[in-house]
Amino acid sequence: MKPKSNPQTSSLLEHRLRTSPRGVSPAGKQAVSADAAKVEVWAPLIGFQWSGEQREIIDDTAIRPGSQYQDYSDPAIASFISKDEEMECRETRHWLWFTQPAQSPLSSGANMNAFLFSLWIARPTPTYIRMRFHRSEAGDHAVVRVLDRFTWIGPQVVETVRDTDLELLEHILPATRRTYLETERLRNALTLTVRGCTTADWRVAFLSFTAAASHLLRHAGRASLARRVSTAYSVLMRGTGSEPDEFVVSPNQFEYLFRRGSEILEGRDHRGQSDAARNLDDLGHFSDAMRKIWRTVLESKEIATGLEGNDTERASFF
């Protein structure tokens, strides 16, 4: 008899297909087997420039010195990574470390992306992860090549991470995980935003941010979708105590960015796409606006609950 499918499991499998790379060491299945109660995951944070040595983020997640990882000689690791890859790992100063149940509803890839997404909200840096190393309590090892890497936008990126950025990351990381596991509409927006952060094509990023903004902000009303979304954006930003001149992106500019995303989707922006500087500048502004929206949502359970409603309920909320 075939086991009945669980909607949450199906969603998780879909997420794994999206986030799991095609390279997994032969011992990979053993490292995440049901026999092991816990899985420990290590991942070198390439491009992560921080003056500290190590820091606990939350109970099961920390930033640790790369020198603490010493499993390179294990056959499952040594037979999979190249000498150049090993050297890059050894030379990477800071590593992401976390532990989770072997049967966690959140995959290790999703956990990794939750950290990178939360870091992106706190500070858009050139940080990315190439490899993820697994170690089970049973002593099995595995390594995964990460092909979906967080990218960065030239006009937006900052090189260094500050302690205040990590304080914000500590605050929003649990909410990021909860959003993926416990919501529906917001989870779709989260997945779309992450896709916008991991693509190397600016058009795909623009379309992903446009779709995510629609998932987050659309509500019932007679105005155009772009106007309704920009109005909701303005209301959301005012709710944080900010005045319009303090917004990271003005409501008018946000409406322009949303309309441009719609024009790209509908094939009406092909002439304007030849201006590379404008494209990256607009994408950087859109990314900054999405970061601010997500920070506002993740810092307030009331807002997150309001945005999980249908379009009519959202209209009342806004």
Side-chain angles (χ1 to χ4, degrees):
M1 180 182 295
K2 291 184 179 180
K4 293 182 180 180
S5 62
N6 182 310
Q8 187 180 53
T9 303
S10 300
S11 175
L12 178 60
L13 288 175
E14 179 183 351
H15 183 84
R16 280 177 174 162
L17 286 173
R18 185 183 63 78
T19 58
S20 296
R22 290 183 287 275
V24 182
S25 69
K29 291 184 179 179
Q30 296 176 359
V32 292
S33 67
D35 296 330
K38 288 280 188 179
V39 174
E40 194 174 337
V41 181
W42 294 76
L45 293 169
I46 301 171
F48 183 84
Q49 296 187 31
W50 174 53
S51 60
E53 288 295 323
Q54 58 183 339
R55 184 182 183 116
E56 180 178 297
I57 303 301
I58 52 179
D59 289 345
D60 60 5
T61 304
I63 296 169
R64 291 188 172 181
S67 58
Q68 290 186 4
Y69 184 81
Q70 294 294 328
D71 291 339
Y72 301 105
S73 61
D74 184 273
I77 306 299
S79 63
F80 189 73
I81 66 173
S82 69
K83 291 298 181 182
D84 288 342
E85 288 172 329
E86 179 181 337
M87 182 172 294
E88 180 182 54
C89 291
R90 289 184 181 276
E91 292 176 350
T92 301
R93 183 182 172 195
H94 296 105
W95 285 45
L96 170 64
W97 171 91
F98 59 90
T99 184
Q100 63 181 66
Q103 297 301 320
S104 170
L106 201 64
S107 70
S108 57
N111 241 331
M112 177 195 73
N113 277 344
F115 173 88
L116 292 173
F117 177 76
S118 300
L119 176 63
W120 171 75
I121 293 173
R123 186 111 162 143
T125 71
T127 303
Y128 67 98
I129 290 174
R130 263 192 224 277
M131 292 193 159
R132 198 171 66 242
F133 297 85
H134 296 234
R135 179 199 298 154
S136 74
E137 286 187 336
D140 299 311
H141 293 78
V143 58
V144 177
R145 286 195 178 92
V146 179
L147 303 183
D148 284 339
R149 300 171 188 163
F150 269 61
T151 57
W152 60 89
I153 304 167
Q156 180 196 49
V157 71
V158 288
E159 295 294 333
T160 58
V161 177
R162 305 164 300 186
D163 288 343
T164 52
D165 302 322
L166 297 181
E167 290 170 6
L168 175 57
L169 188 152
E170 292 165 4
H171 181 58
I172 62 178
L173 177 58
T176 300
R177 291 177 176 177
R178 285 196 304 271
T179 297
Y180 179 73
L181 289 173
E182 300 174 8
T183 68
E184 295 179 354
R185 196 163 185 171
L186 293 183
R187 180 176 60 208
N188 288 339
L190 176 62
T191 301
L192 287 164
T193 308
V194 170
R195 175 53 59 199
C197 292
T198 56
T199 180
D201 189 306
W202 74 270
R203 296 174 190 82
V204 177
F206 222 105
L207 289 172
S208 297
F209 289 157
T210 302
S214 180
H215 273 68
L216 286 164
L217 301 176
R218 70 171 291 152
H219 56 279
R222 295 185 177 181
S224 68
L225 177 58
R227 179 59 54 85
R228 279 179 279 147
V229 167
S230 67
T231 299
Y233 168 78
S234 180
V235 171
L236 205 61
M237 293 301 99
R238 284 182 182 275
T240 66
S242 300
E243 293 301 322
D245 60 350
E246 297 175 319
F247 292 178
V248 64
V249 170
S250 72
N252 286 342
Q253 188 177 19
F254 189 79
E255 182 174 345
Y256 155 75
L257 294 169
F258 188 88
R259 287 185 185 279
R260 187 168 187 212
S262 299
E263 289 174 356
I264 293 172
L265 174 65
E266 295 164 6
R268 295 185 286 113
D269 190 59
H270 55 281
R271 291 181 180 177
Q273 294 181 18
S274 60
D275 188 342
R278 175 202 174 205
N279 297 336
L280 286 181
D281 191 53
D282 282 354
L283 183 60
H285 288 309
F286 210 169
S287 177
D288 281 337
M290 294 304 296
R291 288 173 53 237
K292 183 62 176 178
I293 292 169
W294 272 114
R295 176 175 176 176
T296 302
V297 172
L298 295 173
E299 287 186 319
S300 171
K301 290 184 178 179
E302 180 184 359
I303 291 175
T305 300
L307 295 186
E308 187 64 12
N310 60 36
D311 282 8
T312 302
E313 292 167 339
R314 284 182 169 194
S316 300
F317 174 77
F318 286 121

